[in-house]
Amino acid sequence: MKSALLLLVFSSLSLASAQQSKMVDPADIANLKQVSSPQISPDGTLVAYVVQTPVAAGEHRNAHIWIASAKEIGTARPFVTSTAADTDPRWSPDGKFLAFLSDRANPLAMPQHDPFRFSMANVEGRTDLEIEPDKNADPGMQLWLISVDGGEAVPLTYINGGIKSFRWSRDGKSIAFVRTDQETAQERARRKQKNDEIIVNRNYKYDRLWIYNLAQRQAKLLTTTDINIDAFDWSPDGTRLVARVSPTPRIDDYWRVSKIEVLNASNGTIEKTLEEHAGYMEPRWSPDGQRVAYSRMREKRITDEHVIEDLNSGKKFVVEDAFPGTVEQMEWHPDGKSLLAQTTLQAHTAVISVEAASGKSQILKEVTTSAGEITVSDDGRTFAFLGQTPVQPEEVWIDAAGHVSVLTDTNPQVRNWKLGTEQEITWKSSIDGRTIHGVLDLPPGYEAGRRYKTIVHVHGGPEEAWTIGWHGNWYNYAAMLASHGYVVLLPDPRGSDGAGPTYTEANFQDWGGGDFQDIMDGVDTLIAKGIADPGHMAIGGWSFGGFMTAWTVTHTNRFQAAMVGAGVTDLFSMATTTDIAPSFSTGYFGELQANRKLYDEHSPVRYLDQCHTPVLVLHGEADQRVPISQGEEFYNGLRFLGRDAEMVRYPREPHIFHEREHQIDSLSRILEWYGSHL
């Protein structure tokens, strides 16, 4: 523990002395390595995790599995590496092996092997569920196994299309995995002949559940009926699985039209439905087999709430009934009496312990960083998680019996960056007096009493939240802006997470109403405090943040520049073109035709003549979430009016940019746009 404190003190001193060091630039952010998937060993002594290094567009993904002692800092080392990608480490229940996914060269693909040792008993009558290989296709991520003592990794599968996710059974004898249906030979032949028309909302390729028997080295298909397995967990005795199941693999069904079902682990039949309107969280079966934790959508279908259900009595507790924030992930304590939950509370994060028998919770005060992807040891005394601070990107942290320390140091170069400071800030709504939360990023060397050029950065969602932590990535780049001398306001207006479900639903049929005023009230607060310079302000954001930016510049001239990133600008055309139709739009605004006037009244493109602010529009050409037509409508509308606008299209990019070069370019343009107009 002392060494951990010394490391943190040293880091703080180094960062304090870094005032004269490197200013944060777009390439610095895009080149950060990403840490993910921490998994603590059953005995609590080791943590496996993934480190992904950014690569140039077109290069193979560079992701590998590292391992670190949970007892000693500075022991992190590569454990599973190859020329391909290695991800998703999962410990066997006895702690002797790690299973993982990889797209490395697979010896099961060699002619002398039989790569298709898969039982077809459960596929009778379903000739369309073909597993025979397409020799010209990418085999995808396969399941591998490696001993913790080292040696060569052993492939368990070589199945056409690869594997999306998997979980060990509690006895370690089986692994359940999800695989997406692939094209049949007939479909491949038709596609080769260019006879490849697509009938919309037909001929789905489902995510199906398979069970792999390690002793027999065979897998069998479990779910032969046409249901999509979104997420799942084993019962402790291995006879059943609990799953979040959607009727189709459409992304809207996947997230917003799903159920919580109990499946028979022998034949895949649905034994019981626990919830008709499942929420986003992956369901978790308690170690004692008595309860299941999951989330369910609230009545408006805008957000979800988290439930602990007693399987014997049917009694349910809703965690949010006794917790004023937003719950995201829940993991069981091994004794089955409580859970650990990752939460957002106001504009910071917290880990809470939840009593399974009552749903009551309390905050673990020792965890002061953010805490995501929690994983617990078998004795319940130790848990690992991803933590970040305002001066350090996500790393693997450990909580050992209430003593918290950081185990890894994946991006040491950050200690040389010229970073500012962060603080949580609150203000009162001028509409109803409620308290609004947010984060304020201040530039290095900030001087109280001096007014600064200020940028308002609005989050997406709208169900998201800015919190105290690391603000240095492609989507969340306040640290870069602050490093260049700006004050950055990160507001959490109504509709955001962090203040309970009612607050998250408070922008129902009101985008651009109360949420807009909440943001303007935050700006007024900064001006009243002598922080923001009212003559030098800009606003920007991505997705819903793009919507709010477009709405702002068509309803006020207070800002000197704006950046609309993948923004919703026409609610009606958005509802009819997005891949999350119809549930997303109808959840916020109601049935489309019945509320057409409401959709139009809340669309920024209807107010283009009121925009006099220079606007930069950025959009990915492959964006299915917010189609590029949304950006085009706004940009072309402004050009028709002769307004100052610029648009940049990014080929191949979906809603969230993947290519490093495009990330650097977009961040560079944002920085230049703000700089030239402020």
Side-chain angles (χ1 to χ4, degrees):
M1 183 61 185
K2 288 184 178 179
S3 59
L5 292 174
L6 288 173
L7 176 61
L8 292 172
V9 169
F10 175 76
S11 298
S12 299
L13 291 173
S14 297
L15 286 158
S17 65
Q19 297 292 324
Q20 69 277 11
S21 297
K22 189 182 188 316
M23 189 176 290
V24 183
D25 289 321
D28 298 323
I29 291 177
N31 288 328
L32 283 171
K33 296 179 179 178
Q34 299 169 2
V35 178
S36 64
S37 304
Q39 293 289 312
I40 196 165
S41 61
D43 63 5
T45 61
L46 297 171
V47 181
Y49 62 101
V50 175
V51 176
Q52 180 165 314
T53 302
V55 297
E59 292 186 9
H60 197 280
R61 183 183 178 193
N62 184 349
H64 303 295
I65 297 169
W66 287 52
I67 199 165
S69 169
K71 308 292 185 181
E72 186 178 355
I73 294 169
T75 61
R77 59 185 174 87
F79 184 67
V80 179
T81 61
S82 68
T83 58
D86 309 300
T87 66
D88 297 85
R90 297 292 185 270
W91 296 95
S92 60
D94 61 9
K96 295 180 179 179
F97 296 92
L98 268 179
F100 64 96
L101 297 181
S102 180
D103 59 359
R104 62 178 64 190
N106 194 321
L108 293 181
M110 302 300 289
Q112 64 267 32
H113 291 279
D114 176 11
F116 305 107
R117 295 182 61 195
F118 294 97
S119 169
M120 298 297 290
N122 282 22
V123 196
E124 292 180 1
R126 291 300 304 268
T127 57
D128 57 315
L129 301 182
E130 183 174 316
I131 64 167
E132 290 301 317
D134 176 2
K135 296 180 180 179
N136 298 317
D138 181 352
M141 303 293 279
Q142 302 294 332
L143 189 60
W144 292 70
L145 196 67
I146 189 170
S147 170
V148 178
D149 294 331
E152 293 295 325
V154 176
L156 300 183
T157 66
Y158 186 74
I159 184 171
N160 189 28
I163 292 169
K164 292 184 67 174
S165 62
F166 69 95
R167 292 185 72 85
W168 287 87
S169 62
R170 307 291 173 97
D171 61 8
K173 295 180 179 180
S174 302
I175 296 176
F177 66 81
V178 172
R179 170 186 178 260
T180 304
D181 292 346
Q182 300 296 298
E183 287 184 323
T184 65
Q186 183 181 17
E187 289 170 331
R188 294 197 297 269
R190 289 179 58 245
R191 177 166 49 83
K192 187 176 181 180
Q193 298 166 1
K194 305 300 182 184
N195 183 17
D196 54 358
E197 64 277 358
I198 298 172
I199 304 175
V200 177
N201 291 336
R202 295 275 296 277
N203 302 325
Y204 294 117
K205 301 301 182 185
Y206 289 87
D207 290 345
R208 300 184 189 273
L209 198 59
W210 296 66
I211 305 293
Y212 186 93
N213 184 300
L214 277 92
Q216 299 175 359
R217 287 293 196 266
Q218 286 188 338
K220 70 175 182 179
L221 178 64
L222 188 66
T223 54
T224 57
T225 56
D226 288 343
I227 57 174
N228 203 75
I229 303 298
D230 308 333
F232 68 94
D233 193 22
W234 286 91
S235 66
D237 62 7
T239 63
R240 293 175 293 171
L241 300 109
V242 61
R244 179 160 60 81
V245 176
S246 55
T248 79
R250 293 179 63 251
I251 192 69
D252 188 52
D253 288 348
Y254 184 96
W255 286 118
R256 306 177 75 84
V257 187
S258 57
K259 300 180 180 182
I260 302 296
E261 312 270 27
V262 175
L263 308 179
N264 185 295
S266 296
N267 56 32
T269 58
I270 296 174
E271 295 186 350
K272 186 178 183 181
T273 299
L274 299 182
E275 173 57 48
E276 292 283 352
H277 304 290
Y280 309 127
M281 193 190 89
E282 296 186 0
R284 290 288 183 263
W285 209 309
S286 67
D288 60 10
Q290 301 301 307
R291 299 178 174 91
V292 171
Y294 56 88
S295 72
R296 67 185 182 193
M297 299 301 292
R298 286 166 58 90
E299 184 178 358
K300 287 188 173 70
R301 305 289 182 91
I302 289 176
T303 187
D304 60 352
E305 58 190 13
H306 293 71
V307 176
I308 304 168
E309 179 171 346
D310 188 301
L311 296 176
N312 295 320
S313 67
K315 192 171 185 179
K316 302 178 182 181
F317 296 102
V318 177
V319 179
E320 283 84 352
D321 286 349
F323 178 70
T326 301
V327 178
E328 295 168 19
Q329 174 201 6
M330 295 199 299
E331 296 292 341
W332 283 99
H333 191 279
D335 63 9
K337 296 179 180 179
S338 64
L339 304 94
L340 290 177
Q342 168 198 356
T343 71
T344 299
L345 182 59
Q346 299 170 355
H348 58 271
T349 60
V351 175
I352 62 174
S353 176
V354 182
E355 294 180 4
S358 67
K360 295 180 180 179
S361 62
Q362 63 179 22
I363 295 174
L364 302 188
K365 295 182 178 179
E366 72 268 18
V367 183
T368 57
T369 70
S370 70
E373 300 190 44
I374 295 169
T375 171
V376 189
S377 65
D378 278 357
D379 63 6
R381 291 178 51 82
T382 307
F383 67 91
F385 59 93
L386 290 184
Q388 57 173 263
T389 73
V391 294
Q392 185 184 55
E394 284 188 324
E395 296 287 353
V396 178
W397 289 67
I398 201 85
D399 184 320
H403 300 285
V404 178
S405 57
V406 58
L407 293 183
T408 62
D409 186 23
T410 310
N411 291 288
Q413 74 275 19
V414 168
R415 287 195 288 273
N416 295 320
W417 290 6
K418 191 174 183 180
L419 296 170
T421 57
E422 282 183 18
Q423 57 184 252
E424 191 167 352
I425 183 174
T426 62
W427 60 92
K428 291 293 184 181
S429 164
S430 62
I431 298 174
D432 51 19
R434 74 172 73 201
T435 299
I436 311 300
H437 295 265
V439 175
L440 190 64
D441 270 39
L442 301 173
Y446 171 78
E447 299 174 11
R450 173 187 164 192
R451 292 192 183 275
Y452 285 80
K453 298 177 181 179
T454 299
I455 296 172
V456 180
H457 190 34
V458 187
H459 63 65
E463 188 189 354
E464 286 186 19
W466 296 125
T467 58
I468 292 292
W470 177 251
H471 295 289
N473 59 48
W474 171 77
Y475 170 81
N476 175 7
Y477 43 82
M480 179 187 75
L481 296 175
S483 183
H484 285 257
Y486 297 103
V487 164
V488 186
L489 174 63
L490 303 170
D492 291 332
R494 65 193 68 202
S496 303
D497 285 334
T502 301
Y503 186 79
T504 302
E505 296 171 340
N507 62 347
F508 174 67
Q509 296 188 335
D510 193 38
W511 287 20
D515 46 11
F516 167 68
Q517 190 57 51
D518 290 342
I519 294 172
M520 293 301 101
D521 290 341
V523 171
D524 289 338
T525 298
L526 294 189
I527 293 173
K529 289 178 176 290
I531 297 173
D533 182 345
H536 294 84
M537 299 192 302
I539 186 169
W542 203 263
S543 193
F544 175 79
F547 163 87
M548 187 55 67
T549 301
W551 182 269
T552 298
V553 298
T554 54
H555 287 78
T556 179
N557 296 322
R558 298 182 64 181
F559 296 91
Q560 284 70 53
M563 188 284 293
V564 175
V568 178
T569 64
D570 185 332
L571 287 173
F572 189 89
S573 60
M574 165 69 179
T576 57
T577 56
T578 178
D579 67 350
I580 49 175
S583 297
F584 179 80
S585 296
T586 56
Y588 279 102
F589 286 95
E591 197 277 326
L592 188 62
Q593 292 297 334
N595 294 281
R596 175 66 186 265
K597 186 173 183 289
L598 191 66
Y599 279 77
D600 286 344
E601 288 175 346
H602 292 268
S603 295
V605 292
R606 301 291 179 262
Y607 309 96
L608 286 170
D609 61 315
Q610 299 176 189
C611 179
H612 299 280
T613 304
V615 178
L616 173 65
V617 178
L618 304 178
H619 222 116
E621 290 188 345
D623 192 343
Q624 297 183 42
R625 188 65 30 80
V626 181
I628 194 170
S629 57
Q630 293 288 305
E632 290 171 332
E633 284 187 54
F634 199 74
Y635 168 73
N636 289 324
L638 291 176
R639 295 298 291 170
F640 281 144
L641 297 171
R643 304 297 158 80
D644 186 358
E646 182 175 315
M647 182 172 183
V648 184
R649 306 163 60 103
Y650 291 90
R652 300 175 301 281
E653 292 293 4
H655 194 52
I656 301 300
F657 288 6
H658 293 164
E659 297 182 17
R660 183 178 63 175
E661 291 78 5
H662 287 163
Q663 292 180 348
I664 294 172
D665 181 84
S666 58
L667 289 175
S668 299
R669 290 181 187 277
I670 292 168
L671 201 57
E672 181 182 357
W673 187 259
Y674 288 154
S676 64
H677 288 85
L678 297 187

